[in-house]
Amino acid sequence: MIRGSIVALVTPMTSSGDVDFTALTTLVEHHIAAGTHGIVAVGTTGESATLPVGEHIKVVTAIVKQVAGRVKVIAGNGGNSTAEAIELTKAITPLGVDAFLNVTPYYNKPSQRGLIKHFEAIANSTDVPQILYNVPGRTAVDMLPETVAELAKHPKIIGIKEATGSLQRLKDIQALVDDSFILLSGDDETGLDFLKLGGHGVISVTNNIAAKEMAEMCNAVVEGDFELADAIDQRLKAVHSAMFVESNPVPVKWALCKMGLIPECIYRLPLVEPELNTQNVIEEALKNANLL
């Protein structure tokens, strides 16, 4: 079972724009030491939209080798072209990832029937389990609960990262799928409530900068210690919000650099460093949460 605190890992880069594999190694070890239960490699927070296929594969390869089975590794494999997503999926399949995280096609806004065909085609191209990813605020298409239920019948589609932030959406999906279907929150601000309602884990942006705290919160829910979980979540409330004052991963990468967890705050265009007023909001949230 893939569950608990899963980091949507950033991809650190050098001033020349290349992937910083030394910093990546350090980040992976930081998360394992902090108790993170799983790592998403080159998801949307990892700037998958601007990493070409060859580089995408190199980053996933490096993370799988570094982790060496100590935690779960989930690789991003989504795209708005089914054929290209299948190509990427086939290239990553031999690397030894535990699962794929497959975002809904963006910009071209397929119908619900188109979504079913898209995800089934990708699932049929590999033996590695697939986790669906619904984030309509970024993709402009919303995968409805009935569509999720239909896709859950596929033997290789094992769960969903649901990032609408709607707890009612979680309940609607729960009513239509088996208990074995993995339910992961993709919204840090409602992540704890998602877990309390029976969700299995959180794929988190905040986890990048508060790995120990997010792991402790998820563990507390499993142990039934909601008082501790609430206290941790309350401490991180402003951080959850600050990580989205500009488009992800702009704030979280800047925060990581400010905290000294990555050496440089470098993005791939069209993403750039956050505005000065945004930096102030992020820094204040980090200080108030005792992360800085």
Side-chain angles (χ1 to χ4, degrees):
M1 173 69 81
I2 294 170
R3 62 170 65 242
S5 180
I6 303 167
V7 61
L9 194 68
V10 304
T11 302
M13 297 171 186
T14 67
S15 56
S16 63
D18 297 323
V19 173
D20 188 338
F21 285 98
T22 300
L24 184 65
T25 296
T26 301
L27 276 183
V28 168
E29 289 303 323
H30 166 74
H31 280 287
I32 292 173
T36 297
H37 303 107
I39 295 173
V40 172
V42 201
T44 49
T45 304
E47 295 177 75
S48 57
T50 54
L51 267 66
V53 171
E55 201 169 34
H56 190 129
I57 292 167
K58 287 180 182 178
V59 173
V60 174
T61 299
I63 291 173
V64 170
K65 287 183 177 180
Q66 183 70 24
V67 167
R70 290 177 289 173
V71 297
K72 301 292 186 182
V73 177
I74 304 163
N77 69 326
N80 63 346
S81 163
T82 305
E84 289 180 6
I86 289 173
E87 178 185 2
L88 181 60
T89 300
K90 287 182 175 180
I92 294 175
T93 291
L95 302 182
V97 298
D98 295 287
F100 283 111
L101 182 63
N102 199 342
V103 70
T104 51
Y106 38 87
Y107 186 77
N108 45 18
K109 297 179 71 173
S111 66
Q112 298 299 304
R113 185 163 57 89
L115 289 175
I116 291 170
K117 295 291 186 182
H118 171 80
F119 286 116
E120 286 180 341
I122 297 169
N124 288 337
S125 73
T126 180
D127 290 330
V128 178
Q130 306 282 309
I131 298 172
L132 308 171
Y133 179 15
N134 187 43
V135 56
R138 294 294 290 265
T139 63
V141 62
D142 187 8
M143 184 163 44
L144 300 179
E146 294 77 14
T147 302
V148 175
E150 182 63 28
L151 287 165
K153 298 175 184 177
H154 194 290
K156 286 298 172 185
I157 297 176
I158 63 168
I160 185 170
K161 175 185 177 182
E162 173 50 57
T164 59
S166 167
L167 297 175
Q168 184 58 52
R169 177 61 62 91
L170 168 63
K171 295 175 184 178
D172 292 343
I173 294 172
Q174 285 175 314
L176 297 173
V177 299
D178 293 338
D179 291 343
S180 61
F181 194 71
I182 300 168
L183 300 167
L184 304 171
S185 170
D187 180 70
D188 278 315
E189 293 196 64
T190 58
L192 176 56
D193 289 332
F194 188 100
L195 294 174
K196 288 180 177 179
L197 289 173
H200 301 108
V202 182
I203 296 181
S204 167
V205 174
T206 298
N207 187 314
N208 280 280
I209 56 174
K212 182 174 179 288
E213 291 80 359
M214 289 298 294
E216 288 176 346
M217 186 190 80
C218 290
N219 290 337
V221 173
V222 171
E223 294 164 5
D225 190 347
F226 290 170
E227 183 176 352
L228 175 59
D230 286 334
I232 295 169
D233 187 57
Q234 189 60 42
R235 175 183 162 195
L236 296 177
K237 281 289 187 187
V239 177
H240 295 329
S241 178
M243 290 306 98
F244 293 92
V245 289
E246 288 190 30
S247 293
N248 178 45
V250 170
V252 70
K253 222 172 188 183
W254 188 88
L256 282 166
C257 191
K258 187 73 176 178
M259 295 170 67
L261 291 172
I262 58 175
E264 298 182 89
C265 186
I266 306 296
Y267 308 87
R268 290 275 173 88
L269 288 172
L271 298 181
V272 295
E273 191 173 85
E275 300 296 331
L276 182 59
N277 63 322
T278 302
Q279 294 178 21
N280 293 334
V281 170
I282 299 166
E283 185 172 359
E284 183 179 0
L286 294 177
K287 287 179 178 178
N288 289 340
N290 297 320
L291 295 172
L292 192 64

Short mmCIF file of all heavy atoms in Angstrom, two decimals, residues 7 25-39 66-67 70-71 207 210-213 215-216 219 261:
data_model
loop_
_atom_site.label_atom_id
_atom_site.label_comp_id
_atom_site.label_asym_id
_atom_site.label_seq_id
_atom_site.Cartn_x
_atom_site.Cartn_y
_atom_site.Cartn_z
N VAL A 7 6.34 13.11 -0.66
CA VAL A 7 6.78 14.42 -1.12
C VAL A 7 6.68 14.53 -2.64
O VAL A 7 7.12 13.65 -3.37
CB VAL A 7 8.22 14.73 -0.66
CG1 VAL A 7 9.23 13.73 -1.21
CG2 VAL A 7 8.61 16.15 -1.03
N THR A 25 20.58 14.29 -4.67
CA THR A 25 20.99 13.22 -3.75
C THR A 25 20.81 13.65 -2.30
O THR A 25 20.29 12.90 -1.47
CB THR A 25 22.45 12.83 -4.00
OG1 THR A 25 22.58 12.28 -5.31
CG2 THR A 25 22.93 11.80 -2.99
N THR A 26 21.22 14.88 -2.01
CA THR A 26 21.09 15.41 -0.64
C THR A 26 19.63 15.50 -0.23
O THR A 26 19.26 15.15 0.90
CB THR A 26 21.75 16.79 -0.55
OG1 THR A 26 23.14 16.67 -0.90
CG2 THR A 26 21.63 17.36 0.86
N LEU A 27 18.77 15.96 -1.15
CA LEU A 27 17.34 16.07 -0.84
C LEU A 27 16.73 14.70 -0.54
O LEU A 27 15.95 14.55 0.39
CB LEU A 27 16.60 16.70 -2.02
CG LEU A 27 16.57 18.23 -2.11
CD1 LEU A 27 15.72 18.64 -3.30
CD2 LEU A 27 16.04 18.87 -0.84
N VAL A 28 17.06 13.72 -1.35
CA VAL A 28 16.51 12.37 -1.15
C VAL A 28 16.89 11.84 0.23
O VAL A 28 16.05 11.31 0.97
CB VAL A 28 16.98 11.42 -2.26
CG1 VAL A 28 16.65 9.96 -1.91
CG2 VAL A 28 16.33 11.79 -3.60
N GLU A 29 18.16 11.99 0.59
CA GLU A 29 18.61 11.52 1.90
C GLU A 29 17.93 12.29 3.03
O GLU A 29 17.61 11.72 4.08
CB GLU A 29 20.13 11.62 2.01
CG GLU A 29 20.87 10.61 1.15
CD GLU A 29 20.50 9.17 1.46
OE1 GLU A 29 20.28 8.83 2.65
OE2 GLU A 29 20.40 8.37 0.50
N HIS A 30 17.73 13.58 2.82
CA HIS A 30 17.03 14.39 3.82
C HIS A 30 15.63 13.84 4.08
O HIS A 30 15.20 13.74 5.24
CB HIS A 30 16.95 15.84 3.30
CG HIS A 30 15.98 16.70 4.04
ND1 HIS A 30 16.23 17.20 5.31
CD2 HIS A 30 14.74 17.17 3.70
CE1 HIS A 30 15.21 17.92 5.71
NE2 HIS A 30 14.29 17.92 4.76
N HIS A 31 14.92 13.46 3.02
CA HIS A 31 13.56 12.97 3.18
C HIS A 31 13.52 11.59 3.84
O HIS A 31 12.65 11.32 4.68
CB HIS A 31 12.86 12.95 1.82
CG HIS A 31 12.35 14.30 1.42
ND1 HIS A 31 11.26 14.89 2.02
CD2 HIS A 31 12.82 15.19 0.52
CE1 HIS A 31 11.07 16.08 1.50
NE2 HIS A 31 12.00 16.29 0.59
N ILE A 32 14.44 10.75 3.48
CA ILE A 32 14.46 9.43 4.10
C ILE A 32 14.76 9.55 5.59
O ILE A 32 14.11 8.91 6.43
CB ILE A 32 15.48 8.52 3.40
CG1 ILE A 32 14.97 8.20 1.97
CG2 ILE A 32 15.70 7.22 4.18
CD1 ILE A 32 15.96 7.46 1.11
N ALA A 33 15.71 10.41 5.94
CA ALA A 33 16.05 10.62 7.35
C ALA A 33 14.89 11.23 8.13
O ALA A 33 14.71 10.95 9.32
CB ALA A 33 17.29 11.51 7.46
N ALA A 34 14.09 12.07 7.45
CA ALA A 34 12.98 12.75 8.12
C ALA A 34 11.75 11.87 8.27
O ALA A 34 10.79 12.26 8.95
CB ALA A 34 12.62 14.01 7.33
N GLY A 35 11.74 10.71 7.64
CA GLY A 35 10.61 9.79 7.78
C GLY A 35 9.58 9.87 6.67
O GLY A 35 8.50 9.27 6.77
N THR A 36 9.89 10.58 5.60
CA THR A 36 8.98 10.64 4.45
C THR A 36 8.72 9.22 3.94
O THR A 36 9.64 8.41 3.82
CB THR A 36 9.59 11.51 3.33
OG1 THR A 36 9.73 12.85 3.82
CG2 THR A 36 8.72 11.51 2.09
N HIS A 37 7.46 8.92 3.62
CA HIS A 37 7.09 7.56 3.24
C HIS A 37 7.22 7.27 1.75
O HIS A 37 7.22 6.11 1.34
CB HIS A 37 5.64 7.28 3.67
CG HIS A 37 5.42 7.48 5.14
ND1 HIS A 37 4.71 8.55 5.66
CD2 HIS A 37 5.83 6.75 6.21
CE1 HIS A 37 4.68 8.46 6.98
NE2 HIS A 37 5.34 7.39 7.34
N GLY A 38 7.27 8.31 0.93
CA GLY A 38 7.38 8.10 -0.51
C GLY A 38 7.82 9.37 -1.21
O GLY A 38 7.69 10.47 -0.68
N ILE A 39 8.36 9.20 -2.42
CA ILE A 39 8.87 10.32 -3.21
C ILE A 39 8.26 10.28 -4.59
O ILE A 39 8.31 9.25 -5.27
CB ILE A 39 10.40 10.25 -3.32
CG1 ILE A 39 11.05 10.44 -1.94
CG2 ILE A 39 10.92 11.30 -4.30
CD1 ILE A 39 12.55 10.21 -1.92
N GLN A 66 19.24 6.06 -5.70
CA GLN A 66 19.56 6.63 -4.40
C GLN A 66 18.65 6.05 -3.31
O GLN A 66 19.11 5.72 -2.22
CB GLN A 66 19.40 8.15 -4.45
CG GLN A 66 19.77 8.85 -3.17
CD GLN A 66 21.26 8.82 -2.90
OE1 GLN A 66 22.05 8.67 -3.83
NE2 GLN A 66 21.65 8.92 -1.65
N VAL A 67 17.38 5.92 -3.61
CA VAL A 67 16.43 5.38 -2.62
C VAL A 67 16.72 3.91 -2.31
O VAL A 67 16.64 3.48 -1.16
CB VAL A 67 14.99 5.56 -3.13
CG1 VAL A 67 14.01 4.75 -2.29
CG2 VAL A 67 14.60 7.03 -3.09
N ARG A 70 14.26 1.91 -0.07
CA ARG A 70 14.00 2.31 1.32
C ARG A 70 12.63 2.95 1.50
O ARG A 70 12.04 2.85 2.58
CB ARG A 70 15.10 3.25 1.80
CG ARG A 70 16.45 2.55 1.99
CD ARG A 70 17.53 3.54 2.41
NE ARG A 70 17.91 4.44 1.30
CZ ARG A 70 18.74 5.48 1.44
NH1 ARG A 70 19.22 5.77 2.64
NH2 ARG A 70 19.05 6.22 0.40
N VAL A 71 12.15 3.65 0.48
CA VAL A 71 10.79 4.20 0.48
C VAL A 71 10.21 3.99 -0.91
O VAL A 71 10.92 3.61 -1.85
CB VAL A 71 10.75 5.70 0.85
CG1 VAL A 71 11.27 5.92 2.27
CG2 VAL A 71 11.54 6.54 -0.15
N ASN A 207 5.69 19.19 2.18
CA ASN A 207 6.64 18.16 2.62
C ASN A 207 8.07 18.50 2.21
O ASN A 207 9.02 18.15 2.92
CB ASN A 207 6.23 16.80 2.04
CG ASN A 207 7.06 15.65 2.57
OD1 ASN A 207 8.27 15.71 2.65
ND2 ASN A 207 6.38 14.56 2.91
N ALA A 210 9.01 20.78 5.10
CA ALA A 210 8.61 20.35 6.45
C ALA A 210 8.42 18.83 6.45
O ALA A 210 7.37 18.32 6.85
CB ALA A 210 7.33 21.06 6.89
N ALA A 211 9.45 18.13 6.03
CA ALA A 211 9.34 16.68 5.85
C ALA A 211 9.06 15.96 7.16
O ALA A 211 8.19 15.08 7.23
CB ALA A 211 10.62 16.15 5.21
N LYS A 212 9.79 16.30 8.20
CA LYS A 212 9.62 15.63 9.49
C LYS A 212 8.22 15.88 10.04
O LYS A 212 7.56 14.96 10.53
CB LYS A 212 10.67 16.14 10.47
CG LYS A 212 10.64 15.49 11.85
CD LYS A 212 11.82 15.97 12.68
CE LYS A 212 11.81 15.36 14.07
NZ LYS A 212 10.72 15.95 14.90
N GLU A 213 7.76 17.13 9.94
CA GLU A 213 6.45 17.49 10.47
C GLU A 213 5.32 16.78 9.72
O GLU A 213 4.37 16.28 10.34
CB GLU A 213 6.26 19.01 10.39
CG GLU A 213 7.14 19.80 11.33
CD GLU A 213 8.57 20.00 10.83
OE1 GLU A 213 8.91 19.50 9.73
OE2 GLU A 213 9.36 20.66 11.53
N ALA A 215 5.50 13.94 8.05
CA ALA A 215 5.55 12.51 8.38
C ALA A 215 4.93 12.26 9.75
O ALA A 215 4.16 11.30 9.94
CB ALA A 215 6.98 12.00 8.33
N GLU A 216 5.26 13.12 10.71
CA GLU A 216 4.71 12.96 12.06
C GLU A 216 3.20 13.14 12.06
O GLU A 216 2.49 12.43 12.79
CB GLU A 216 5.38 13.98 13.00
CG GLU A 216 6.83 13.64 13.32
CD GLU A 216 7.49 14.71 14.19
OE1 GLU A 216 6.90 15.82 14.31
OE2 GLU A 216 8.57 14.44 14.72
N ASN A 219 1.66 9.98 10.57
CA ASN A 219 1.79 8.89 11.54
C ASN A 219 0.82 9.06 12.69
O ASN A 219 0.24 8.07 13.19
CB ASN A 219 3.22 8.83 12.07
CG ASN A 219 4.23 8.37 11.02
OD1 ASN A 219 3.86 7.70 10.06
ND2 ASN A 219 5.49 8.72 11.22
N LEU A 261 18.37 24.11 1.95
CA LEU A 261 18.18 22.71 1.56
C LEU A 261 18.54 22.45 0.10
O LEU A 261 18.78 21.31 -0.30
CB LEU A 261 16.74 22.27 1.83
CG LEU A 261 16.37 22.17 3.32
CD1 LEU A 261 14.89 21.92 3.49
CD2 LEU A 261 17.19 21.07 4.00
#
